[in-house]
Amino acid sequence: DAGVTQSPTHLIKTRGQQVTLRCSPKSGHDTVSWYQQALGQGPQFIFQYYEEEERQRGNFPDRFSGHQFPNYSSELNVNALLLGDSALYLCASSLGITLDTQYFGPGTRLTVL
Amino acid sequence: DAKTTQPPSMDCAEGRAANLPCNHSTISGNEYVYWYRQIHSQGPQYIIHGLKNNETNEMASLIITEDRKSSTLILPHATLRDTAVYYCIVLNSGGYQKVTFGTGTKLQVIP
């Protein structure tokens, strides 16, 4: 058990709606990264948060936004949902902003109808 | 884009060693090779990483060629629970990390 928790486990939304996913990092970790994994594909990097700021961002539109709280937990928000946003959303935590092993949570399965 | 190339799938008999290759011919001097695996519908799990020396831990061994252009992950005695997708990733030693996963190798351990 890596210690990273995510909620909810599953979520069903309709097109145009907004969704918020939550992540609590492993104890002692201060950096949170978010990934989107479509069926049959590897995880795709969305963004990374450290010290409550977005530090790195992948090729995702502004509809994807996030937040990190003082306790290092994080939220991923997706606005104006599209069918193509259906995926497994993974959160990973690590220590510091430089090279470190990432520990992944179990993910949130988002289905957009 | 991923900096690594892996075969899409491999089979291994239970109890035998599983050798998973990875090509990273454009790796630079400050870049490490990391391996993760993902069992169906779970989050990826860290396995091992290395820079240029061979590494071993309780899960696996990592063999990196002298020119560092390729590596092999070895699971010494594969079990059915090792059936998963294995990802080889290259990460630099400094700065912000933007981890890029490819499509990995689907390892099927056969009874």
Side-chain angles (χ1 to χ4, degrees):
Chain A
D1 185 3
V4 179
T5 60
Q6 292 185 243
S7 63
T9 304
H10 295 86
L11 202 53
I12 299 174
K13 293 286 188 178
T14 57
R15 282 178 296 174
Q17 285 189 311
Q18 178 265 343
V19 68
T20 297
L21 310 181
R22 295 176 176 81
C23 171
S24 291
K26 179 181 170 67
S27 178
H29 284 182
D30 56 8
T31 303
V32 173
S33 301
W34 286 92
Y35 296 82
Q36 180 195 66
Q37 186 173 26
L39 203 60
Q41 302 296 315
Q44 299 298 306
F45 177 80
I46 303 175
F47 42 52
Q48 182 182 62
Y49 276 84
Y50 173 71
E51 292 186 337
E52 302 179 49
E53 289 189 16
E54 182 183 296
R55 301 292 180 168
Q56 275 273 57
R57 189 178 183 91
N59 295 324
F60 281 82
D62 292 344
R63 298 187 297 110
F64 290 77
S65 63
H67 188 76
Q68 186 178 34
F69 299 95
N71 67 353
Y72 308 123
S73 67
S74 177
E75 289 182 349
L76 164 65
N77 301 291
V78 187
N79 294 322
L81 284 168
L82 304 174
L83 295 179
D85 295 331
S86 294
L88 179 68
Y89 288 85
L90 295 161
C91 166
S93 74
S94 54
L95 181 61
I97 199 65
T98 55
L99 185 68
D100 187 54
T101 299
Q102 293 195 346
Y103 291 83
F104 285 80
T108 293
R109 174 71 62 185
L110 172 65
T111 301
V112 182
L113 302 177
Chain B
D1 292 336
K3 299 180 182 179
T4 62
T5 304
Q6 300 177 254
S9 64
M10 294 181 64
D11 291 340
C12 177
E14 189 178 17
R16 304 297 293 269
N19 296 279
L20 292 94
C22 179
N23 182 290
H24 31 80
S25 58
T26 60
I27 195 170
S28 60
N30 66 344
E31 290 183 321
Y32 286 70
V33 179
Y34 271 71
W35 283 83
Y36 285 80
R37 73 179 182 184
Q38 187 173 24
I39 297 170
H40 182 63
S41 295
Q42 298 181 20
Q45 175 191 26
Y46 166 79
I47 302 172
I48 198 168
H49 73 281
L51 182 62
K52 54 183 179 181
N53 297 321
N54 298 337
E55 303 288 344
T56 296
N57 63 19
E58 64 278 4
M59 290 183 66
S61 294
L62 174 60
I63 308 298
I64 302 174
T65 59
E66 191 169 347
D67 64 7
R68 302 187 68 237
K69 293 184 177 182
S70 64
S71 60
T72 301
L73 177 74
I74 301 173
L75 307 178
H77 306 285
T79 70
L80 298 178
R81 288 176 296 179
D82 293 322
T83 292
V85 177
Y86 288 77
Y87 296 99
C88 168
I89 301 160
V90 169
L91 296 173
N92 64 52
S93 60
Y96 302 133
Q97 294 300 320
K98 185 189 294 189
V99 181
T100 301
F101 287 82
T103 52
T105 296
K106 169 66 175 177
L107 175 69
Q108 183 72 48
V109 180
I110 302 169

